[in-house]
Amino acid sequence: MPVAAPIVQVRELTKVFRQGEINVTALHRINLEIAAGEFLTLMGPSGSGKSTLLHIIAGIDRPTSGDCIVQERNIGALNESELADWRNQNVGFVFQTFNLIPVLSAFENVELPLLLTQLSARDRRRQVTTALELVGLSDRMKHLPRQLSGGQEQRVAIARALVTDPQLIVADEPTGNLDSHSAADVLDILRRLSRDARKTVIMVTHDPKAAAYGTRSIHLEKGELTN
Amino acid sequence: MLPLFKYHLRSIFIRWRSTVATILGLALVIAVFVLVQSLAVGIEKASANSGDPRNLLITRQGALAETTSVITREQFNIIRYLPGLAQDNAGQPLASADVLLIINLPRREATGNANVMLRGVAPAGRALRPQVTLVEGRWFEPGRREAVASRRLAGRFANLQVGQKFKTGGVELTVVGLFDAARSAFDSELWIDADEARSAFDRPDYSSVLVRPENEAAAARIKAALEAERRLKVKAVREVDYYKEQTRTAGPIRWLGNGLAVVMSIGAMFAAMNTLYASVGARTREIGTLRVLGFRRRSILLGFLLEGGLLAGFGGALGCVFALPMHGYSTGTLGWETFSEIVFDFQITPILAAQAVAFAIVVGLLGSFLPALRAARLPVIASLKSV
Ligand SMILES: Nc1ncnc2c1ncn2[C@@H]1O[C@H](COP(=O)(O)OP(=O)(O)O)[C@@H](O)[C@H]1O
Ligand SMILES: [Mg+2]
């Protein structure tokens, strides 16, 4: 059980999507605490609300009711622009589909979040280089996404997620589009981030083998935690 | 300010087919705009070069142009002996009484006839217009039915080369020389001796008098004296002001150019809008990703406006390049005041080019506004799910 103070506190979190006349309750009164340095895996069947929970914790969606407090900040209370800045400084997001910008090189993709900071070009270069070294791609900096394999693309995406040195890294099925070998590489990097760099990692996955990389696993079922 | 410049610049050329089509369409609009405006600039330049700031042009009160003015010999004699006029080397006052006739001449290559201005000019008239220089042959000699034509006019009308003869009003004239008038209004004229013009064409009177006062003070005195002399019924204006007024021909051309440009640019605007809507649609997930990374709505909006502006800027620049071969090409149009041919150049000045590019950018910004707004308003999560 977590020893350190929780970095994420979710209290009575409910999310309802309105689709025309119908209300879809994606999350129902979720309570959850995540400690700094944890590698939490989030499992559950399709449509159970995993992505929705991840989006709310990462500040890209808002709860219908309840609170989501990340690093002692109630992120539901931030306005659009504050939330954008908050995301830039505090969360790294890894997508299932990588979502690299096709016209930008690996280096430029990783540099993107730093363009919103006050860092000089030289400091940016240093940080981008470090992040790409960490994922083992310092020899691919000038490559465009289409010149990389899926596994390499996802590692660039991880470098982009950690280049601002955020406390929190969230990943939504990051290995869902990868072969098992590349998946192992990616999972290994995420594990090292939590173990060696004390990052808090939250990962949605279907795959029990992937979940085995985490320090704790929770289950969602129809919008509710089951354990 | 625009951290995503590289991203947007490269994205423009990703969907290059529609981008190139949009740029070409806009280039066409801008080329037309530039060409029509360059005509107006050419006319204005021609008029601006015409006058000498020291000269006064005297016409009948109420006459809108030299061609509709009448100055009798008595009036001329009063005017030329007014005190304060500069003198030539022979001690004669610098005053030229001119006769203006509009004659009809066949164009080259048998493409019909057009009106041309024939100026009967006194020897002093040449001294008063130093921008008119002989470039071929010699000046006319009075009494020998000789004429000198503007070289540019000779390029547009039949039988105006040195040695050729042309007939007008039952009089046959021989061209003995060609002059260059430094792109002034005189480049649209034929010159003969003033008194010969009066006798040959049976005109008892002159049309206008051009004088050179000794100095500014003398000019003001002469102007005041002429206007005070009620019986004379003449008015004196600075020669430069007279030609500035004649620039009114450029007005309708400018309006036509602007109108055409506005109508055409509406098409170009929709083309830009279409291209950008398609681009926003195809890049929905990229936009969602940028938002997740922390870019604000405003950055996205500005970014897509930038794309529209850049797209249009390229189109505008290309349009200027398309129009450029016409620069300096000489052409003619009907003068508004005299209904005779005015010869002038397409003048594509740097200012005109800058205006054209600015105009293109405005079109691009207007066209990209709605797509940019759509991009900025995309809900983050929904856009991440887009394929
Ligand atoms: N934008 C949305 N509008 C309407 N319903 C949504 C939206 N996003 C998710 N849902 C619904 O919420 C539920 C949970 O979705 P999601 O969090 O994506 O599940 P998971 O990631 O576990 O597959 C599903 O029933 C889904 O249809
Ligand atoms: Mg999901």
Side-chain angles (χ1 to χ4, degrees), chain B residues 19-78:
Chain B
T19 297
V20 166
T22 306
I23 289 180
L24 284 178
L26 208 71
L28 208 67
V29 174
I30 294 305
V32 170
F33 173 77
V34 166
L35 286 180
V36 179
Q37 294 299 326
S38 69
L39 286 183
V41 172
I43 292 176
E44 282 164 0
K45 276 218 163 160
S47 298
N49 277 358
S50 298
D52 186 314
R54 295 168 298 180
N55 293 351
L56 286 179
L57 182 71
I58 298 157
T59 52
R60 194 187 64 185
Q61 266 174 22
L64 287 176
E66 275 185 288
T67 43
T68 53
S69 162
V70 176
I71 300 281
T72 62
R73 273 181 298 168
E74 293 73 40
Q75 286 172 317
F76 176 48
N77 277 326
I78 296 171

Side-chain angles (χ1 to χ4, degrees), chain B residues 2-268:
Chain B
L2 280 168
L4 290 172
F5 185 80
K6 229 187 291 181
Y7 164 66
H8 289 291
L9 184 64
R10 288 187 202 160
S11 295
I12 291 178
F13 292 100
I14 280 298
R15 303 163 57 73
W16 66 271
R17 270 172 231 275
S18 65
T19 297
V20 166
T22 306
I23 289 180
L24 284 178
L26 208 71
L28 208 67
V29 174
I30 294 305
V32 170
F33 173 77
V34 166
L35 286 180
V36 179
Q37 294 299 326
S38 69
L39 286 183
V41 172
I43 292 176
E44 282 164 0
K45 276 218 163 160
S47 298
N49 277 358
S50 298
D52 186 314
R54 295 168 298 180
N55 293 351
L56 286 179
L57 182 71
I58 298 157
T59 52
R60 194 187 64 185
Q61 266 174 22
L64 287 176
E66 275 185 288
T67 43
T68 53
S69 162
V70 176
I71 300 281
T72 62
R73 273 181 298 168
E74 293 73 40
Q75 286 172 317
F76 176 48
N77 277 326
I78 296 171
I79 292 165
R80 74 197 288 199
Y81 294 117
L82 284 172
L85 287 185
Q87 295 182 342
D88 64 12
N89 296 335
Q92 289 298 310
L94 275 174
S96 169
D98 292 357
V99 186
L100 280 127
L101 297 144
I102 291 170
I103 62 175
N104 200 257
L105 290 180
R107 288 187 192 277
R108 269 189 137 171
E109 284 140 16
T111 49
N113 286 25
N115 287 339
V116 169
M117 195 108 91
L118 179 69
R119 183 182 294 272
V121 58
R126 262 145 59 190
L128 286 165
R129 297 178 181 94
Q131 70 270 51
V132 179
T133 50
L134 195 72
V135 291
E136 202 182 321
R138 57 175 175 82
W139 283 107
F140 50 77
E141 276 178 28
R144 294 174 58 174
R145 297 286 192 259
E146 290 176 350
V148 172
S150 137
R151 182 170 52 185
R152 301 166 112 220
L153 202 65
R156 300 179 56 77
F157 284 86
N159 307 323
L160 292 187
Q161 299 299 332
V162 173
Q164 292 184 312
K165 295 175 195 300
F166 65 96
K167 253 184 141 161
T168 177
V171 183
E172 190 178 60
L173 295 167
T174 308
V175 178
V176 295
L178 297 180
F179 65 74
D180 182 283
R183 285 152 206 263
S184 66
F186 307 119
D187 263 330
S188 307
E189 294 181 356
L190 280 161
W191 284 12
I192 60 170
D193 178 69
D195 288 321
E196 184 167 18
R198 284 198 306 122
S199 63
F201 295 98
D202 226 4
R203 295 271 296 244
D205 299 316
Y206 299 104
S207 303
S208 66
V209 181
L210 189 65
V211 299
R212 166 87 45 89
E214 280 171 330
N215 50 41
E216 279 289 313
R221 272 203 314 277
I222 288 169
K223 210 163 146 27
L226 287 175
E227 271 149 29
E229 189 66 68
R230 302 274 286 280
R231 286 169 306 155
L232 222 43
K233 290 198 169 63
V234 297
K235 67 171 179 212
V237 295
R238 282 167 182 278
E239 194 188 16
V240 284
D241 292 339
Y242 172 80
Y243 284 104
K244 209 179 276 170
E245 180 71 6
Q246 301 290 308
T247 309
R248 273 188 293 175
T249 301
I253 291 182
R254 271 202 191 281
W255 281 107
L256 176 77
N258 288 339
L260 208 62
V262 165
V263 171
M264 287 180 71
S265 64
I266 290 172

Side-chain angles (χ1 to χ4, degrees), chain A residues 15-20 22-27 42-55 61 172-173 204 206 220 222-223, chain B residues 381-382 385:
Chain A
K15 178 70 181 181
V16 179
F17 289 107
R18 210 148 286 138
Q19 265 193 323
I22 317 157
N23 283 346
V24 180
T25 305
L27 295 172
L42 193 51
M43 297 189 71
S46 191
S48 57
K50 306 182 296 292
S51 295
T52 304
L53 181 57
L54 206 63
H55 290 153
D61 205 352
D172 195 347
E173 304 193 39
V204 169
H206 274 310
L220 268 176
K222 291 181 180 158
Chain B
I381 295 174
K385 286 178 183 156

Side-chain angles (χ1 to χ4, degrees), chain A residues 20-207:
Chain A
E21 302 285 285
I22 317 157
N23 283 346
V24 180
T25 305
L27 295 172
H28 182 65
R29 303 181 66 168
I30 302 280
N31 287 290
L32 179 66
E33 286 194 355
I34 303 168
E38 254 193 297
F39 185 169
L40 182 79
T41 57
L42 193 51
M43 297 189 71
S46 191
S48 57
K50 306 182 296 292
S51 295
T52 304
L53 181 57
L54 206 63
H55 290 153
I56 293 174
I57 293 172
I60 57 182
D61 205 352
R62 291 167 185 282
T64 306
S65 66
D67 293 319
C68 181
I69 294 150
V70 182
Q71 289 183 295
E72 284 156 15
R73 192 123 184 212
N74 188 346
I75 56 171
L78 301 177
N79 69 27
E80 276 274 338
S81 322
E82 289 168 341
L83 207 53
D85 294 348
W86 180 86
R87 281 198 300 273
N88 179 251
Q89 290 152 20
N90 297 286
V91 206
F93 207 104
V94 182
F95 308 86
Q96 179 178 353
T97 49
F98 324 140
N99 287 8
L100 298 181
I101 304 296
V103 294
L104 299 180
S105 67
F107 181 94
E108 289 160 346
N109 265 287
V110 176
E111 192 186 22
L112 275 175
L114 296 181
L115 296 177
L116 291 168
T117 65
Q118 302 297 320
L119 292 180
S120 67
R122 184 203 262 165
D123 287 343
R124 291 203 301 269
R125 168 159 286 277
R126 196 167 39 77
Q127 263 176 254
V128 172
T129 312
T130 308
L132 280 168
E133 271 165 10
L134 227 130
V135 299
L137 284 176
S138 35
D139 56 340
R140 294 285 190 278
M141 296 210 273
K142 294 204 167 106
H143 288 54
L144 290 175
R146 67 179 139 80
Q147 298 168 318
L148 298 171
S149 72
Q152 289 170 333
E153 279 197 77
Q154 193 61 301
R155 276 145 68 198
V156 172
I158 294 174
R160 180 177 67 185
L162 56 86
V163 74
T164 54
D165 198 23
Q167 234 345 278
L168 190 61
I169 293 185
V170 299
D172 195 347
E173 304 193 39
T175 57
N177 282 8
L178 299 181
D179 61 80
S180 59
H181 185 76
S182 303
D185 282 349
V186 162
L187 291 166
D188 201 54
I189 292 167
L190 291 176
R191 180 163 60 188
R192 272 190 301 152
L193 284 176
S194 98
R195 193 187 281 164
D196 306 341
R198 300 290 299 156
K199 302 287 178 205
T200 308
V201 180
I202 309 173
M203 178 177 77
V204 169
T205 183
H206 274 310
D207 179 7

